[in-house]
Amino acid sequence: MRVGVLTGGGDCPGLNAVIRAVVRKGVQEYGYDFVGFRDGWRGPLQNDTVPLDIRAVRGILPRGGTILGSSRTNPFNSEDGVRRVKETLAKQEVDALIAIGGEDTLGVAARLSGDYGIACVGVPKTIDNDLSATDYTFGFDTAVNIATEAIDRLHTTAESHMRVLVVEVMGRHAGWIALHAGLAGGANVILIPEQRFDVDRICAWVESRFKIRYAPIVVVAEGAMPKDRDAVLKDDSLDSFGHVRLSGIGEWLAKEIERRTGKEARTTVLGHVQRGGTPSAFDRWLATRFGLHAIDAVRDEDFGQMVALRGTDIVRVPLAEATARLKTVDPSLYAEAEVFFG
């Protein structure tokens, strides 16, 4: 059997660990051949490939990013996209395809598998941790650790200057990074996309902190929105999956806090720092297990499935189910964090 592998969407710590596990087990135990497709779904669209064997995956376990490259290419938005993907797979003599990605990448895999008969297995990757069929996605733990360390460091400079520091983290539709990192880092306010916020209430919390000579830290997810306006956008452009570019809520909020309270406020946007660098031990462990079970699904010809973490078990769930809805922060979890606000 010849197996194709691709990594799509945003880069993420742990992608290389999946690739390594898939190839190592596939070659050593099942005798499979592998081909890597470059830059997500662009690879099958343009027949852009890279050799993938045991030698190619040596030493990549601790490396961030992906040796295959990634992109937000959507073959359904390309002319004759499905036909071109099928032609590439036939030309490369690929019997099965392992797609490693988040909601968009796996959504494409679900359609190709369900509607066009392409043998796909999915592996869930996103730092946002917003895929509903799995308890955790790899990349999330690393992003939370990076954000938490940044918050820890910002506490000291905030206290030195008695400033409000607003920390903007990733999270388009789900506030998992903001919630986990904010709680772990001792933030005084945490703002997530699932709960619209009241700027006046935030200002009251900020001022209460200054009364006890404590400089507040506000953690805000990029998709968080105030009650009286929509999301703050970087610009009006859309990617191939129809997503706008979010950025700027941190800067907007800092200006509002400064204007309303008279307290000096600064913004730190962590941005792609959260995606980069060495994956955490947990993400290496989870990504490796996902890879091992993904190649097992290929061996069993159990296509149209995604591997997922349930408790400590790796299970398989239909790709269509896995991408049907996002996993967002439950109000009860957010209520736990509110104890520490103000």
Side-chain angles (χ1 to χ4, degrees):
M1 181 174 280
R2 185 166 167 84
V3 181
V5 182
L6 64 82
T7 55
D11 62 297
C12 177
L15 284 167
N16 287 324
V18 180
I19 298 167
R20 171 180 174 268
V22 164
V23 173
R24 286 285 297 271
K25 187 169 188 178
V27 172
Q28 292 174 189
E29 296 199 11
Y30 304 140
Y32 293 165
D33 292 323
F34 289 88
V35 59
F37 290 102
R38 294 183 186 274
D39 303 334
W41 289 110
R42 189 189 68 79
L45 270 176
Q46 300 182 5
N47 193 25
D48 190 356
T49 66
V50 58
L52 207 52
D53 54 20
I54 288 181
R55 183 173 183 177
V57 301
R58 284 183 183 142
I60 67 173
L61 177 64
R63 286 174 56 184
T66 165
I67 61 170
L68 296 178
S70 190
S71 73
R72 299 189 185 276
T73 303
N74 184 354
F76 290 102
N77 279 356
S78 301
E79 186 175 354
D80 294 328
V82 174
R83 177 188 60 79
R84 290 162 60 190
V85 168
K86 283 188 167 184
E87 286 182 354
T88 295
L89 296 178
K91 189 177 296 183
Q92 293 292 334
E93 299 181 330
V94 170
D95 302 298
L97 182 63
I98 295 177
I100 311 166
E103 171 198 6
D104 296 324
T105 300
L106 297 184
V108 170
R111 289 184 64 184
L112 291 177
S113 178
D115 299 338
Y116 299 96
I118 295 177
C120 293
V121 170
V123 177
K125 167 246 52 164
T126 166
I127 66 169
D128 287 341
N129 196 42
D130 59 1
L131 286 173
S132 61
T134 182
D135 289 350
Y136 286 98
T137 54
F138 69 88
F140 172 67
D141 185 70
T142 302
V144 168
N145 287 339
I146 291 168
T148 301
E149 181 180 355
I151 295 167
D152 288 345
R153 292 176 180 274
L154 290 170
H155 272 293
T156 58
T157 185
E159 291 164 7
S160 296
H161 295 276
M162 291 305 292
R163 292 170 174 160
V164 183
L165 283 185
V166 178
V167 186
E168 182 182 311
V169 300
M170 286 186 169
R172 176 180 294 274
H173 300 297
W176 293 108
I177 295 176
L179 182 68
H180 281 241
L183 199 57
N188 308 115
V189 183
I190 301 170
L191 307 174
I192 61 175
E194 294 88 341
Q195 303 273 350
R196 284 184 176 261
F197 61 85
D198 184 335
V199 178
D200 286 333
R201 192 180 185 196
I202 293 168
C203 290
W205 282 328
V206 164
E207 289 179 321
S208 72
R209 277 312 206 188
F210 278 112
K211 287 178 182 178
I212 58 172
R213 293 200 56 78
Y214 190 94
I217 300 285
V218 178
V219 175
V220 56
E222 63 185 350
M225 292 181 286
K227 289 182 176 180
D228 56 354
R229 63 166 293 162
D230 292 329
V232 176
L233 307 181
K234 189 177 185 65
D235 55 50
D236 295 329
S237 62
L238 303 177
D239 65 19
S240 63
F241 290 96
H243 299 310
V244 295
R245 297 176 65 190
L246 294 175
S247 182
I249 185 62
E251 190 66 32
W252 179 88
L253 181 59
K255 289 178 180 178
E256 284 296 306
I257 291 172
E258 192 167 277
R259 181 176 68 84
R260 299 186 190 201
T261 67
K263 304 296 185 182
E264 190 177 11
R266 294 288 185 271
T267 307
T268 298
V269 180
L270 296 184
H272 288 80
V273 169
Q274 297 157 92
R275 291 191 180 279
T278 301
S280 67
F282 178 83
D283 280 340
R284 297 186 206 187
W285 171 85
L286 180 58
T288 297
R289 293 191 69 201
F290 277 162
L292 296 175
H293 284 262
I295 199 62
D296 284 347
V298 170
R299 176 204 58 187
D300 297 340
E301 298 185 359
D302 194 7
F303 301 122
Q305 301 288 310
M306 183 192 84
V307 294
L309 180 69
R310 298 280 177 84
T312 57
D313 296 328
I314 305 296
V315 301
R316 299 173 192 170
V317 296
L319 273 166
E321 174 188 324
T323 57
R325 64 181 181 86
L326 291 177
K327 179 178 67 180
T328 54
V329 174
D330 188 276
S332 64
L333 292 176
Y334 189 66
E336 291 176 358
E338 285 185 305
V339 171
F340 302 98
F341 291 5

